[in-house]
Amino acid sequence: MSKVTIFGAGYVGVPTAAHFSRTHQITIYDPDEQKINNIREVLDGTTHELHIHEKGLPELLRENRENLKLTTDIKEALEDPEFIFISVGTPPNARGRANLKYVCKAAEQIAANLKNDAIILNKSTVPPGTAYMVQDIIASNLKTDFKFAVGSCPEFLAEGSAVEDLRTPDRIVYGCDDPEALRKITEFFSYLHGKATLCPMSTISSELTKYAANSILATKISFMNSMAVLCDSIGANIREIQEGIARDSRIGRKFLNASMGYGGSCFPKDTRAIAEYGRLNGVPLSLIKSTIAINEEIIEYFANKIQDDFNGDLKGKNIAIWGIGFKARTDDLRESKAVEVARFLMDHGTHAFIFDTVKGALTNFEIENQQYKGKFTICQDQYQMFDQDLDGLVIGNEHEKFRNPKMSQLKKMRALNIYDGKNILNNQLIRQLTQEGFNYKSVGKDTVVNGVDKDRLVHFLREKYMD
Ligand SMILES: NC(=O)c1ccc[n+]([C@@H]2O[C@H](COP(=O)([O-])OP(=O)(O)OC[C@H]3O[C@@H](n4cnc5c(N)ncnc54)[C@H](O)[C@@H]3O)[C@@H](O)[C@H]2O)c1
């Protein structure tokens, strides 16, 4: 059992602390009193609601409360940890560069308050080389002669499934250029997971692995989205193509869903950050730049489909949005495509009726969209808005509750329009909806409704492919 201090009680810090506390003694440090008090209340059972919504997290924290200490006092935080994990925010600036001020502040605090030898690992997503900067900051501010090493341990959890992702990771990537420290980190993770999943490497490779992983996943999505636009234009079905390529084990099944684009706190931020990092280092990273560009275009493509159905005039329309979090089961709205659609609609004079299965997502939407006050209604029930002369329903994330909507409720709509931003409705249901008079639009599956224009294709081939 090791003593560990975690800097940052956010989407990464709290689940990580809860997970580590299964076998290690953990102190969570965050200067934000509200967050620390909130976790305390969860531990003592006063509340079940954490400041972040994560399935199974309150239970796991409570289960291991004997191994958890919480503090807003930096001195207490650094009493005697063997390992320190930094998981503070690295929000992007206008050019996409990760802001390192919170990481640097944490490094200064460590230098000023460390009372024993320690290994410091950065979990925040940072530009490669940051660990060397943290090492410099600590070395030049350290009050006494403690031995310390700085490494990197990027986090790959996904919001909404953080507890499970941490419990059963595909691999644990970590890097440290100090061989003795690397051995100790290996020991630390072996204690939790056994050796099979461990992936030790150099510090800088570990930092870059995080960006490489998120960029390739985002690229898979953008690739499918560009194929989806081609599907709509020729009458193919992206779902069928997805199935066809997913069965190729070289490609794999995951991250092949076409949709109105990827959002969240990681993919958009990390792709922009690494593209900018490449540019600053004279390496263009053109593929990642295209991934970003496609993601920006696809949401416009989807929003334009809605607008076109109303002949460009969305004024006075009532449109419902099911799922406002950037994905199902999260309260996190950062870079949510559903929020982008909602704002697009409200900017064009539509009243938006917003529902999400996560209450925190609705609260966050209300807080973050004060400028649209009066232009939206928050709905606590999935079907409450169907008494409101709806002109359309947008499916904003992939929650299973949205996959089989109640037909009797849908039929109450004033205009029968369904916009499936996450392509979650199956072909059979789409055909049924079409028979019932619904207009169904998605990204790359319009053919289910429209079929293929064979004559046009034959004409096109005769004209362009016969030289
Ligand atoms: N959210 C994700 O799904 C996810 C996944 C993988 C990696 N990451 C990366 O992990 C990092 C943290 O992300 P997050 O989503 O948890 O951020 P977050 O904003 O939810 O939490 C960051 C926390 O750090 C605290 N903090 C700021 N300065 C501090 C300091 N000096 N000492 C201690 N705490 C301090 C803040 O009060 C806040 O509670 C980011 O670099 C992010 O890119 C996030």
Side-chain angles (χ1 to χ4, degrees), residues 104-317:
C104 292
K105 171 82 178 159
E108 285 163 15
Q109 289 175 307
I110 293 168
N113 296 283
L114 200 64
K115 296 188 199 77
N116 54 280
D117 295 351
I119 294 170
I120 296 126
L121 288 166
N122 192 15
K123 254 197 176 308
S124 301
T125 305
V126 290
T130 299
Y132 303 136
M133 189 164 86
V134 170
Q135 175 96 26
D136 263 8
I137 294 173
I138 300 179
S140 47
N141 292 288
L142 202 59
K143 297 276 186 298
T144 30
D145 211 13
F146 295 121
K147 224 176 124 218
F148 75 96
V150 179
S152 149
C153 175
E155 184 48 64
F156 298 94
L157 65 77
E159 286 177 29
S161 56
V163 170
E164 196 46 27
D165 292 347
L166 284 162
R167 195 178 69 81
T168 56
D170 292 336
R171 77 316 196 186
I172 297 164
V173 172
Y174 54 94
C176 189
D177 296 347
D178 175 328
E180 178 54 15
L182 193 65
R183 190 189 59 73
K184 286 187 178 159
I185 305 164
T186 299
E187 230 170 64
F188 173 82
F189 281 119
S190 309
Y191 200 63
L192 263 164
H193 293 283
K195 285 232 156 60
T197 56
L198 306 188
C199 204
M201 57 182 75
S202 71
T203 307
I204 196 152
S205 297
S206 161
E207 288 173 327
L208 185 53
T209 300
K210 170 69 191 180
Y211 283 117
N214 275 358
S215 299
I216 202 166
L217 295 175
T219 299
K220 282 178 97 174
I221 297 170
S222 277
F223 174 84
M224 290 307 281
N225 283 341
S226 56
M227 282 292 145
V229 176
L230 184 59
C231 282
D232 278 344
S233 112
I234 64 168
N237 181 335
I238 194 66
R239 269 288 180 189
E240 292 170 355
I241 289 157
Q242 178 180 352
E243 197 49 31
I245 59 178
R247 286 175 184 227
D248 184 330
S249 59
R250 295 170 303 174
I251 297 171
R253 304 199 71 82
K254 294 185 177 167
F255 291 85
L256 293 180
N257 268 340
S259 68
M260 60 180 165
Y262 59 77
S265 67
C266 289
F267 286 3
K269 165 171 91 69
D270 294 351
T271 45
R272 276 184 223 126
I274 198 60
E276 173 67 358
Y277 187 83
R279 190 187 70 79
L280 292 170
N281 281 283
V283 181
L285 297 178
S286 317
L287 180 60
I288 299 176
K289 281 199 263 178
S290 299
T291 294
I292 298 165
I294 292 166
N295 199 50
E296 283 159 7
E297 288 156 18
I298 200 76
I299 183 72
E300 265 180 55
Y301 174 75
F302 181 70
N304 287 342
K305 280 191 179 194
I306 304 176
Q307 196 173 28
D308 289 350
D309 279 346
F310 295 93
N311 298 318
D313 185 9
L314 286 161
K315 226 177 271 157
K317 302 292 179 246

Side-chain angles (χ1 to χ4, degrees), residues 21 25-26 43 61-69:
S21 70
Q25 251 182 310
I26 311 300
L43 289 187
L61 285 166
R62 261 203 294 277
E63 231 168 78
N64 297 301
R65 60 177 167 269
E66 301 296 312
N67 289 339
L68 281 164
K69 207 167 93 180

